[in-house]
Amino acid sequence: MNKDIATPIRTKEILNKYGFSFKKSLGQNFLIDPNILRNIVSHANLTEASGAIEIGPGIGALTEHLARAAKKVVSFEIDQRLLPVLEDTLSPYNNVKIVHSDILKADVEKVIKEEMSGIEDIMVVANLPYYVTTPILLKLLNDRLPIRGFVVMMQKEVADRITAKPGTKEYGSLSIAIQYYVTAEVAMVVPKTVFMPQPNVDSAVIRLIKHDEPPVKVINEDFLFEVTRASFAQRRKTILNNLQSGLPSGKEKKGLILDALEKAGVEPTRRGETLSIQEFGKLADALHPYFCNVQ
Ligand code: SAM
């Protein structure tokens, strides 16, 4: 087996060889611990028939572990300076495709069709650039890609919010926006010392596995997310107050909101953080006739 890229010594050698300087603005904190990388990959349960999609290969630390575990790896990297480095470090692997692109602008579905035809099991596995963690996850979920799920590193604070359960202080509209599509759990908490340079925040790896069916069926998904965002706008306010301030003409529609809350079986004095995703679904459907397609 080839020597790991992600040892402190080899990483420094590679960085020196190419005169590479980290760009903080691109969230460049590279992993320098092969054990962590093996752990991340094991949480993805890849087989020799699987595909892996990576965002931000850096100098290839995680990419090579994915290349060893999966049939095909497609990696999206925004920083052009890393392309010659990756060509060098990943030269032992013939199952890796690097796509030079901003993941937020990429047509990932098209790339999957072109590069992973015939592959049935696809996971997104990445040490994400922290400045765009949430936009990346929401884009890849909204794109409804043919994937099984995600194993991704991010700042621990965001990991806690994504995986939060009702009744906790971390639970909010982000928890619902993600858990509508996937089951979400923290797979491991990761110390700062395994990165170069070390980030200022703590990190965690989360595992997201797509639901066969959403946990609640609603008339309009976008409206469900609008209702949840409004419900958490001011955490100390009751759900009634938040809906009145957050929904269009909510102030004038107090009676209709009260009616919808009653239909959904939600006490108007409750706070958003106590509602399950199923309750939000019922509430969104009860509010829908009063706020959507209104002439
Ligand atoms: N995978 C490598 C590792 O674990 O050592 C590097 C991870 S580093 C946290 C994030 C990587 O994402 C960097 O290589 C950075 O250049 C890249 N990146 C940042 N923004 C990106 C974007 N919008 N699209 C694709 N790649 C991006």
Side-chain angles (χ1 to χ4, degrees):
M1 193 181 288
N2 300 293
K3 227 170 31 157
D4 272 331
I5 295 168
T7 62
I9 292 176
R10 176 108 197 270
T11 297
K12 274 190 202 133
E13 269 171 21
I14 295 166
L15 297 175
N16 287 340
K17 179 172 171 190
Y18 288 91
F20 185 82
S21 52
F22 293 100
K23 269 199 191 150
K24 219 177 166 180
S25 62
L26 290 180
Q28 290 179 337
N29 301 93
F30 295 171
L31 282 165
I32 51 164
D33 184 335
N35 285 326
I36 293 282
L37 289 162
R38 271 190 283 278
N39 263 330
I40 294 174
V41 174
S42 76
H43 282 294
N45 295 113
L46 300 170
T47 73
E48 286 161 7
S50 304
I53 296 174
E54 187 191 16
I55 298 110
I59 59 170
L62 175 59
T63 326
E64 78 169 350
H65 282 261
L66 293 171
R68 289 174 190 157
K71 182 169 188 190
K72 181 83 197 248
V73 184
V74 177
S75 239
F76 293 84
E77 175 56 63
I78 198 172
D79 188 348
Q80 184 154 20
R81 300 173 306 152
L82 288 166
L83 303 183
V85 186
L86 289 162
E87 211 173 300
D88 176 6
T89 57
L90 297 175
S91 60
Y93 306 95
N94 59 12
N95 58 345
V96 178
K97 165 86 180 173
I98 304 290
V99 181
H100 176 219
S101 165
D102 177 346
I103 187 70
L104 295 176
K105 297 190 182 139
D107 185 344
V108 182
E109 190 174 359
K110 185 162 164 250
V111 175
I112 289 178
K113 276 200 185 113
E114 286 169 2
E115 299 293 334
M116 293 187 169
S117 78
I119 295 185
E120 282 176 11
D121 178 58
I122 303 177
M123 285 293 279
V124 174
V125 187
N127 171 20
L128 291 173
Y130 290 1
Y131 74 107
V132 273
T133 303
T134 313
I136 290 176
L137 286 181
L138 291 176
K139 174 198 153 77
L140 297 180
L141 288 168
N142 289 329
D143 281 357
R144 307 197 180 246
L145 302 171
I147 58 172
R148 175 160 54 92
F150 301 72
V151 172
V152 280
M153 174 101 75
M154 61 185 59
Q155 55 275 55
K156 183 172 176 300
E157 179 256 327
V158 179
D160 289 341
R161 286 199 283 131
I162 285 176
T163 58
K165 298 276 171 284
T168 61
K169 69 177 191 325
E170 290 81 15
Y171 183 66
S173 52
L174 180 62
S175 325
I176 292 165
I178 303 267
Q179 291 175 32
Y180 181 74
Y181 299 104
V182 293
T183 58
E185 59 176 5
V186 173
M188 58 182 183
V189 175
V190 178
K192 291 177 186 164
T193 47
V194 301
F195 297 91
M196 182 191 290
Q198 293 189 16
N200 299 325
V201 293
D202 291 327
S203 300
V205 174
I206 64 169
R207 177 159 59 182
L208 308 175
I209 301 295
K210 258 172 46 186
H211 300 303
D212 293 332
E213 294 287 332
V216 57
K217 284 222 159 52
V218 289
I219 302 167
N220 179 331
E221 289 174 2
D222 289 337
F223 186 60
L224 166 68
F225 299 134
E226 189 181 336
V227 168
T228 53
R229 273 194 305 275
S231 303
F232 286 102
Q234 292 200 40
R235 296 187 74 96
R236 287 146 65 107
K237 279 192 177 179
T238 64
I239 188 135
L240 172 63
N241 281 338
N242 269 327
L243 291 174
Q244 276 191 265
S245 337
L247 291 179
S249 313
K251 289 267 185 303
E252 294 104 80
K253 294 186 176 174
K254 183 175 179 185
L256 296 175
I257 294 174
L258 279 168
D259 179 56
L261 283 164
E262 194 182 336
K263 280 189 186 135
V266 176
E267 283 292 321
T269 50
R270 281 175 65 183
R271 300 217 160 83
E273 69 201 47
T274 69
L275 269 71
S276 66
I277 193 163
Q278 287 79 7
E279 287 179 304
F280 273 117
K282 275 191 207 155
L283 180 57
D285 278 2
L287 288 163
H288 189 267
Y290 305 140
F291 289 91
C292 301
N293 310 318
V294 181
Q295 300 301 314

